[in-house]
Amino acid sequence: MKFTKMQGIGNDYVYVDCFKENLANPAEISKFVSNRNFGIGSDGLILVSPSEIADCRMDIYNADGSRAEMCGNGIRCVGKFLWDSGYVKTSVATVETMAGVKKLDLIVNNGECTGAIVDMGEPELEPKKIPVVCSEDTMIDKELIVGGKTYNVTCISMGNPHCVTFVEDAEGLNLPALGPLFENHVAFPARINTEFVTVKDRNHVRMRVWERGSDETMACGTGACATAVAAILNNHCDREIIVTLNGGDLKITWDEVTNHVFMEGPATTSFTGEIKLPEGIK
């Protein structure tokens, strides 16, 4: 299997050109290639395939083989992949995802695509559409008991489910212990991505993320978008925010007129290669 390893501020995936390749068992392939000791090493697998309604379709598999509806860092890399492969000839690209078609404005300098600004669409706040178990119209700054401790949380979908909680010191948290308690909490029937956020000022937050199916990752683009929306809804921040993650910064803007969230950040190719897949998972 030929592949391209790409990363957006450290959120790394293995990308496969399914215009040319046909993978029968992508969930098992994702588990194999994501292994950082025996595989390639990644947060998951992304298939770039033909689409009837966009320049390509993006299918995302987490490191544990589960599906993800959307990936903000991943979609920027898909934009670069399309440019580098010659599948798009202009600096505007469209990508079909399980969360709808997303429009990307590619950042191109001297013929090289280095990142993208992605229209991530409108945030979803209705609990049953996130989904989250909640008897009220929204789950904004609501108390949730996790591991015997009470957290105030704001739940949002950016095409995939997120739970944002503001804490005094995100750096000091033991996420390997705390993250699974949120991810598998009874309030989240489809599991959840959880952002632990410290507000620095009106335009800057620090975020760590525990991703559903991938554990703590260097970055999460949809999580950064959810964090920005939550920070604005809770009056912590203004509408243009720098989100600092383990792997770097993303610029998130929640447009007041359109209600759309825009994410700007880099996309980088690490290397390309070919790997022999074990028998039975091709």
Side-chain angles (χ1 to χ4, degrees), residues 126-155:
E126 187 177 342
K128 68 179 182 181
K129 293 182 180 179
I130 296 173
V132 55
V133 177
C134 178
S135 60
E136 301 185 45
D137 292 339
T138 62
M139 195 161 183
I140 300 172
D141 195 31
K142 302 299 183 185
E143 291 187 351
L144 183 72
I145 298 174
V146 181
K149 183 178 177 181
T150 300
Y151 295 84
N152 283 65
V153 304
T154 296
C155 294

Side-chain angles (χ1 to χ4, degrees), residues 52-217:
E52 295 183 356
I53 57 174
D55 291 312
C56 76
R57 177 177 173 84
M58 167 175 125
D59 288 291
I60 311 154
Y61 293 83
N62 296 316
D64 68 353
S66 60
R67 295 294 301 272
E69 301 91 341
M70 180 58 189
C71 175
N73 292 312
I75 200 170
R76 294 198 314 276
C77 290
V78 168
K80 177 175 172 58
F81 185 94
L82 291 172
W83 176 269
D84 291 349
S85 302
Y87 292 133
V88 296
K89 305 293 185 182
T90 71
S91 60
V92 177
T94 53
V95 178
E96 180 188 357
T97 75
M98 290 176 67
V101 175
K102 305 299 180 185
K103 175 177 172 287
L104 289 70
D105 290 302
L106 305 181
I107 300 170
V108 180
N109 297 299
N110 298 319
E112 180 184 3
C113 179
T114 59
I117 301 169
V118 185
D119 182 349
M120 299 289 286
E122 298 184 62
E124 177 60 66
L125 302 178
E126 187 177 342
K128 68 179 182 181
K129 293 182 180 179
I130 296 173
V132 55
V133 177
C134 178
S135 60
E136 301 185 45
D137 292 339
T138 62
M139 195 161 183
I140 300 172
D141 195 31
K142 302 299 183 185
E143 291 187 351
L144 183 72
I145 298 174
V146 181
K149 183 178 177 181
T150 300
Y151 295 84
N152 283 65
V153 304
T154 296
C155 294
I156 295 160
S157 173
M158 290 302 309
N160 55 354
H162 291 272
C163 172
V164 181
T165 183
F166 295 95
V167 297
E168 287 189 9
D169 179 23
E171 306 287 355
L173 295 176
N174 182 1
L175 254 59
L178 186 57
L181 299 179
F182 274 88
E183 179 182 353
N184 299 292
H185 195 283
V186 67
F188 308 120
R191 296 190 292 165
I192 201 81
N193 303 290
T194 309
E195 288 74 38
F196 302 88
V197 183
T198 300
V199 177
K200 298 297 186 179
D201 59 44
R202 296 290 302 180
N203 300 102
H204 183 204
V205 300
R206 169 70 171 108
M207 171 190 133
R208 290 175 67 192
V209 59
W210 183 269
E211 288 201 61
R212 177 184 58 168
S214 294
D215 300 344
E216 182 175 13
T217 61

